[in-house]
Amino acid sequence: MRKLKKKEYENLSDTNIQKVIGLLSGNSPITKKEACGILNIAYNTTRLQRIIDEFEETQAYRSRRKSQNKGKAATKDEVADAVTRFLSGDSISEIAAGLYRSSGFVKSIIERTGVPQKGEGKCDYLPDECIAEDFAAGEIAWSARYHGPCIIKQELSVDYQAEKAGMSDVNYEKKYGCKAFNVWVIQKMDEDYSERWTTAQGAGFTATELAYDLGKLNHLEEYGVDLSRI
């Protein structure tokens, strides 16, 4: 399949192209000039038709692939890819499109492998496989409070804090009933991201997390997931 080239300001999302196709073929069709305006492209009927043709070609290809995959069990590579992309912030629909599978198919992978799922409140839902009381320095875990992966930097024990000038001597286990950790919350970089959060570790920020707001991810390695790719 050919890959559609576009300028940054052009609105060539699948949803918008589908909208234009519908408007062009409706009972009161819009003009091609109006169609170009909706797509935010220069008025060029040849390019407009190419955009429509390539979109329809891609949709037909996706439909064939989904039909071929229908009824087939998920492969190990599909499971690993789906889980990795979900943990990295991709939506169920985005993953489904990339795998040529249904959204329900991808959701079932996420649920049965014990992947943390984003909740509507302050914290995410943590499956039983993710619940733990202790984490190792350098371990990649899930921050239920910040809805994303994080790197465990240091346990904030009383002994550790006593070594750091100006730090309080809070006994987290006594006060909250669990350990606390200093973590680096990983976030995707984008054009709107402040440079002050960008370090050698990538985009993100430091935070203090209690163990019950952190989730283990090591069990996902059994499914071929490389946590370093998150």
Side-chain angles (χ1 to χ4, degrees):
M1 293 187 300
R2 293 169 293 179
K3 186 173 179 59
L4 186 66
K5 294 182 179 180
K6 67 174 183 176
K7 296 180 175 64
E8 185 177 349
Y9 56 83
E10 296 176 336
N11 186 355
L12 302 182
S13 67
D14 286 356
T15 301
N16 204 37
I17 296 175
Q18 186 68 67
K19 173 185 175 182
V20 165
I21 292 174
L23 291 172
L24 284 169
S25 59
N27 293 329
S28 301
I30 62 173
T31 65
K32 291 186 176 181
K33 185 173 183 179
E34 289 173 321
C36 290
I38 294 173
L39 296 174
N40 208 26
I41 64 174
Y43 179 48
N44 183 323
T45 58
T46 300
R47 183 158 187 257
L48 172 63
Q49 190 59 50
R50 186 183 302 118
I51 289 170
I52 292 173
D53 289 344
E54 291 185 9
F55 171 79
E56 292 180 336
E57 178 185 337
T58 299
Q59 293 300 104
Y61 177 78
R62 287 177 178 172
S63 180
R64 288 196 301 273
R65 288 295 306 274
K66 287 180 70 174
S67 179
Q68 292 168 354
N69 287 332
K70 189 174 182 179
K72 293 182 180 179
T75 66
K76 184 175 181 179
D77 287 342
E78 284 180 318
V79 172
D81 189 37
V83 171
T84 301
R85 290 181 58 186
F86 186 81
L87 291 175
S88 298
D90 288 356
S91 67
I92 293 289
S93 60
E94 288 173 331
I95 299 169
L99 294 178
Y100 306 106
R101 296 282 197 169
S102 68
S103 293
F105 179 90
V106 174
K107 188 174 181 180
S108 69
I109 291 177
I110 301 304
E111 290 176 346
R112 68 181 172 82
T113 52
V115 178
Q117 298 184 49
K118 294 181 180 180
E120 297 180 358
K122 294 181 179 179
C123 291
D124 296 341
Y125 161 70
L126 291 175
D128 291 342
E129 299 94 325
C130 299
I131 297 174
E133 296 180 356
D134 204 3
F135 297 82
E139 178 179 349
I140 297 176
W142 185 262
S143 168
R145 188 153 59 106
Y146 293 106
H147 314 292
C150 65
I151 302 173
I152 305 297
K153 305 303 292 182
Q154 174 71 53
E155 178 189 344
L156 296 180
S157 63
V158 175
D159 290 341
Y160 168 76
Q161 293 177 79
E163 297 173 2
K164 303 294 181 180
M167 292 190 70
S168 65
D169 59 351
V170 176
N171 186 324
Y172 287 94
E173 289 192 75
K174 183 176 181 180
K175 185 173 182 178
Y176 298 105
C178 67
K179 294 181 178 180
F181 299 86
N182 178 260
V183 305
W184 176 263
V185 180
I186 302 169
Q187 292 191 332
K188 283 187 174 181
M189 292 180 64
D190 56 50
E191 58 185 11
D192 297 323
Y193 221 78
S194 172
E195 291 184 0
R196 70 192 181 98
W197 296 126
T198 305
T199 70
Q201 299 176 91
F205 57 91
T206 57
T208 298
E209 291 273 45
L210 295 172
Y212 56 64
D213 283 333
L214 293 171
K216 285 273 187 183
L217 297 177
N218 295 345
H219 69 283
L220 297 174
E221 294 175 345
E222 299 175 11
Y223 299 97
V225 176
D226 181 357
L227 295 176
S228 67
R229 290 179 53 204
I230 296 174

